[in-house]
Amino acid sequence: MKTQFKKATLIKRYKRFLGDVILEDGTETTLHVANTGAMTGCAEPGDTIWYSTSDNPKRKYPYSWELTQSQYTDHFICVNTIKANQLAEQAILDGTISELQDYETITREVKYGHENSKIDLLLTGGGNNDVYVEVKSVTLLERNNGYFPDTITTRGQKHLRELIAMAATGKRAVLLFAVLHTGINNFAAAAHIDKDYADLLHEAMTQGVEVLVYKAAISPSNIQLAQKINFP
């Protein structure tokens, strides 16, 4: 995924969806943050951030925070969680995710399940069993390990229950963790943050839910899922 990002220096992130930055010309401004998580280690004052610009005149904040470049490690982190689904779809189409090939159609945001959910990607056709793919963005790095989630997630628990239910009907149910942090080379469920999620993930795997972990190559000019990480 080719990008055209510009850089700024982070002052602070606040109110979940806002961040104050200093642009390269010295101007201070506010940008939008498409991330509901804690963003632990991804939003330290003084970090270099990379942003995109929208030409939508209805937007209050035309700038969107896309990447963080850590001032301590120089790692790149994609903090825009919307990108995870786009990167997953791209990686399926270009053949990177070998486990999800030979399907004719990819449909986004399909309603399904018993808890008012939408599956991120539904793969159909090609004479294969339908695949329900839930995508999660991984950006938390602690003790040389990547973790999900970075905060307690009742929504994530709901998605696991929905995947378990789909697997029980004979459909393929896949949980795809998109690692969007260049410093993460290993992955585990964050039982120390959300034990209920970690326990439910283990149950999901025993009930037939497939778990895939793919890491992105990230730079200010290009982002793409490129490398499989074994799990567990």
Side-chain angles (χ1 to χ4, degrees), residues 74-98:
D74 213 32
H75 291 315
F76 283 99
I77 309 152
C78 179
V79 300
N80 183 347
T81 56
I82 296 173
K83 285 289 190 292
N85 288 4
Q86 299 170 358
L87 293 169
E89 182 175 5
Q90 175 184 291
I92 294 169
L93 291 172
D94 68 19
T96 297
I97 303 179
S98 60

Side-chain angles (χ1 to χ4, degrees), residues 157-218:
Q157 294 169 28
K158 180 184 77 167
H159 292 158
L160 282 174
R161 292 192 298 269
E162 297 280 40
L163 290 174
I164 291 170
M166 293 309 300
T169 69
K171 303 291 186 181
R172 281 188 71 190
V174 174
L175 179 57
L176 173 61
F177 290 105
V179 176
L180 305 184
H181 191 308
T182 59
I184 294 175
N185 296 303
N186 302 286
F187 173 76
H192 61 297
I193 294 174
D194 189 342
K195 186 176 185 302
D196 289 341
Y197 184 89
D199 289 345
L200 195 56
L201 177 59
H202 176 75
E203 179 185 344
M205 295 175 68
T206 65
Q207 297 297 320
V209 175
E210 303 170 46
V211 177
L212 303 175
V213 185
Y214 275 81
K215 177 181 175 178
I218 305 172

Side-chain angles (χ1 to χ4, degrees), residues 78-124:
C78 179
V79 300
N80 183 347
T81 56
I82 296 173
K83 285 289 190 292
N85 288 4
Q86 299 170 358
L87 293 169
E89 182 175 5
Q90 175 184 291
I92 294 169
L93 291 172
D94 68 19
T96 297
I97 303 179
S98 60
E99 297 89 347
L100 299 176
Q101 297 303 300
D102 301 321
Y103 291 88
E104 294 177 347
T105 304
I106 301 176
T107 309
R108 306 173 188 174
E109 298 291 322
V110 178
K111 291 184 178 180
Y112 84 119
H114 303 288
E115 299 187 50
N116 192 31
S117 298
K118 289 183 180 180
I119 195 67
D120 290 321
L121 302 172
L122 175 62
L123 280 56
T124 58

Side-chain angles (χ1 to χ4, degrees), residues 4-32:
Q4 293 183 338
F5 299 154
K6 296 180 180 179
K7 69 178 178 179
T9 302
L10 180 64
I11 299 173
K12 63 178 178 179
R13 180 217 185 186
Y14 58 102
K15 294 183 179 178
R16 295 175 72 189
F17 299 110
L18 299 177
D20 287 345
V21 299
I22 303 173
L23 304 183
E24 287 191 285
D25 65 3
T27 303
E28 291 189 16
T29 191
T30 300
L31 44 67
H32 180 255

